[in-house]
Amino acid sequence: MDFSSECCLTDNTDYNMLDIIYYFNIFGCLTMGMALLLIQTAPQLINPHYRNAKRFLGIASIIVALCNALILYNRMQESVADIFAMPVLVAAQLQAALFTFIVLILFHSPYVCRQNILRHLCPTLFFVGLYLLTILLFPDVRIYSVDEYIANITNPVLLLRTVFAATYLTQIVIYVRLFRREQRNYIAKIENYFSDTDKYEFRWASRLFYEAACIGIAVLVFSVFPAPLFDGIITVVVTVYYFNFGVRYINYQYKLYYEALPAIEEKEEVQPAKEIEGDKELEDEMAKLLLYLQQGVVLGDYAEALHIPERKLSVFINSTYGVSFKRWVNNKRVEYATEQMAKHPDYTMERIAELSGFAHKSHFCKIFREITGGSFTEYKNR
């Protein structure tokens, strides 16, 4: 597949269509950027990390719009970017770092700090500085095909751009591993606080992160095989993605984040700890409480009833039962459900699920099968 400079020239129809796509991207990113900067943050959400992330995302959207405006201007002379174009790689790497840390902020990850952000940006800053120095000593080359690339591989500037592209791909892998680690830590925290964690796991944020990773890889492929059609598709996808990400990020603040803060924030315990002679006494007192039969019960409800700090109760459940608070509650609920099945064989599944503290029948079926190894009907028949 040959993308020589002559072949990269498109007819007027393709050229005008690609220009329209760029105009669409510029307008969409500018609009979303201004919305992120101007829409007020919920007053309950006093955490500064989210406010800063929303502000940075707005600025990033505006920068993307300005970058595409510059690319559109350069298209007056060039049809598409060349292989491993430095501006494309720099913009892609900065956006990969931006989206990684912005999503990690949703998980309230302590990894998000100025030191770690600068550390991840160091490779980009290094390659940009080295590139500017290298082009002062050696001529840069603009190539549009694999054959031209092979013929000019000894060019120091092209070799530097190639190494930068390989570094960018490595960083995407690092970001994915980092995200998965911080996501696991976050889920472990909320499972030690909430009994039902589905709505607090922010699966939409995970989906958006992996979409961003796929877009980053697509941009890298585009930098290897530049073509007007691919350029237009990537631009449309990035525009829609920024808009969707911005809308979700704005809506996210009003409920779930505020509810999840007690689970993911590290705070000092101010309530006095109850003096308990031993673990057996605490275990007996927990057995007397039937709070697990309430829908939406959290660790704080048990800690308040037992008059002990949440952290101490969480550690006790983890060490004594070897499970998270969420798992412990589900075990107690299923145990109660089996007791009700034996006492009231005429009760329906919906009735048993409701009595056991489950909000939905489907959730009850899933948890029941996980713990007992069989379905509700199979267990009832036995």
Side-chain angles (χ1 to χ4, degrees):
M1 192 172 185
D2 188 12
F3 290 103
S4 63
S5 56
E6 292 82 1
C7 293
C8 284
L9 296 177
T10 60
D11 56 33
N12 291 333
T13 302
D14 293 337
Y15 186 84
N16 291 335
M17 179 59 68
L18 194 53
D19 287 349
I20 292 174
I21 292 175
Y22 269 93
Y23 282 123
F24 172 70
N25 173 276
I26 294 169
F27 175 77
C29 289
L30 279 177
T31 302
M32 181 50 60
M34 295 303 297
L36 287 165
L37 293 177
L38 296 178
I39 292 180
Q40 296 295 319
T41 305
Q44 308 99 315
L45 193 56
I46 60 176
N47 184 273
H49 295 292
Y50 173 81
R51 296 174 184 266
N52 292 334
K54 189 162 71 70
R55 188 180 301 115
F56 290 150
L57 183 59
I59 295 174
S61 298
I62 295 176
I63 291 176
V64 169
L66 296 178
C67 290
N68 280 321
L70 180 61
I71 294 175
L72 181 62
Y73 174 78
N74 290 334
R75 280 174 48 79
M76 301 299 177
Q77 288 79 32
E78 303 287 344
S79 58
V80 291
D82 55 328
I83 292 180
F84 292 144
M86 200 65 180
V88 174
L89 294 176
V90 171
Q93 201 287 326
L94 291 177
Q95 290 181 47
L98 169 76
F99 281 113
T100 298
F101 283 98
I102 282 181
V103 173
L104 290 184
I105 285 175
L106 300 182
F107 295 145
H108 209 70
S109 169
Y111 191 84
V112 181
C113 63
R114 182 177 301 177
Q115 179 181 357
N116 287 332
I117 293 175
L118 291 177
R119 184 160 59 89
H120 282 275
L121 292 180
C122 277
T124 302
L125 299 176
F126 170 78
F127 277 105
V128 169
L130 190 59
Y131 173 79
L132 295 176
L133 179 62
T134 306
I135 60 177
L136 295 177
L137 304 175
F138 303 96
D140 199 356
V141 291
R142 301 184 65 86
I143 55 178
Y144 300 93
S145 70
V146 176
D147 293 338
E148 290 179 346
Y149 174 83
I150 295 175
N152 292 273
I153 190 60
T154 56
N155 181 280
V157 182
L158 179 60
L159 189 60
L160 176 65
R161 286 156 46 187
T162 303
V163 175
F164 184 31
T167 303
Y168 166 60
L169 180 59
T170 303
Q171 284 186 291
I172 290 181
V173 175
I174 293 174
Y175 290 145
V176 171
R177 294 184 63 182
L178 171 63
F179 173 80
R180 289 174 62 86
R181 185 191 72 189
E182 296 301 309
Q183 183 188 39
R184 286 194 299 268
N185 293 338
Y186 165 80
I187 292 178
K189 288 181 180 180
I190 64 174
E191 285 187 345
N192 269 319
Y193 193 86
F194 295 103
S195 58
D196 302 310
T197 60
D198 289 350
K199 68 176 182 177
Y200 301 104
E201 293 181 359
F202 304 138
R203 292 188 177 92
W204 63 268
S206 302
R207 186 178 67 252
L208 288 174
F209 171 81
Y210 287 116
E211 288 175 358
C214 292
I215 292 175
I217 295 174
V219 171
L220 184 60
V221 174
F222 167 68
S223 68
V224 178
F225 303 105
L229 178 60
F230 201 2
D231 188 8
I233 294 174
I234 289 291
T235 305
V236 171
V237 170
V238 169
T239 304
V240 174
Y241 177 79
Y242 261 89
F243 184 83
N244 183 35
F245 194 101
V247 170
R248 298 303 299 268
Y249 215 83
I250 291 173
N251 293 336
Y252 153 89
Q253 63 179 306
Y254 292 107
K255 183 179 180 182
L256 293 184
Y257 192 80
Y258 181 60
E259 291 181 357
L261 280 180
I264 58 181
E265 272 193 329
E266 297 292 339
K267 58 181 184 299
E268 296 182 358
E269 298 291 348
V270 295
Q271 57 188 98
K274 180 179 179 181
E275 295 296 333
I276 297 180
E277 295 179 357
D279 291 346
K280 186 64 172 67
E281 183 177 345
L282 177 57
E283 189 172 352
D284 291 340
E285 292 195 22
M286 289 184 62
K288 298 175 184 177
L289 296 175
L290 301 180
L291 296 178
Y292 57 85
L293 299 181
Q294 300 176 9
Q295 297 178 9
V297 63
V298 298
L299 181 68
D301 297 330
Y302 270 90
E304 182 178 357
L306 295 169
H307 305 290
I308 63 174
E310 293 176 7
R311 184 181 298 277
K312 180 177 180 179
L313 179 58
S314 176
V315 172
F316 172 78
I317 293 175
N318 296 160
S319 59
T320 304
Y321 302 101
V323 295
S324 65
F325 173 73
K326 172 188 175 182
R327 185 70 176 186
W328 179 81
V329 169
N330 285 335
N331 286 340
K332 298 294 289 183
R333 286 174 171 174
V334 170
E335 180 183 343
Y336 184 84
T338 57
E339 293 175 358
Q340 296 304 306
M341 291 166 61
K343 293 179 180 179
H344 307 283
D346 57 322
Y347 279 7
T348 63
M349 182 191 301
E350 290 81 358
R351 179 63 174 158
I352 294 293
E354 181 182 359
L355 290 174
S356 304
F358 290 96
H360 305 286
K361 182 181 72 172
S362 58
H363 187 220
F364 169 70
C365 292
K366 176 184 176 182
I367 299 301
F368 192 92
R369 181 179 289 276
E370 287 180 1
I371 295 177
T372 65
S375 67
F376 175 86
T377 303
E378 292 171 348
Y379 192 92
K380 190 174 183 179
N381 291 336
R382 290 201 301 267

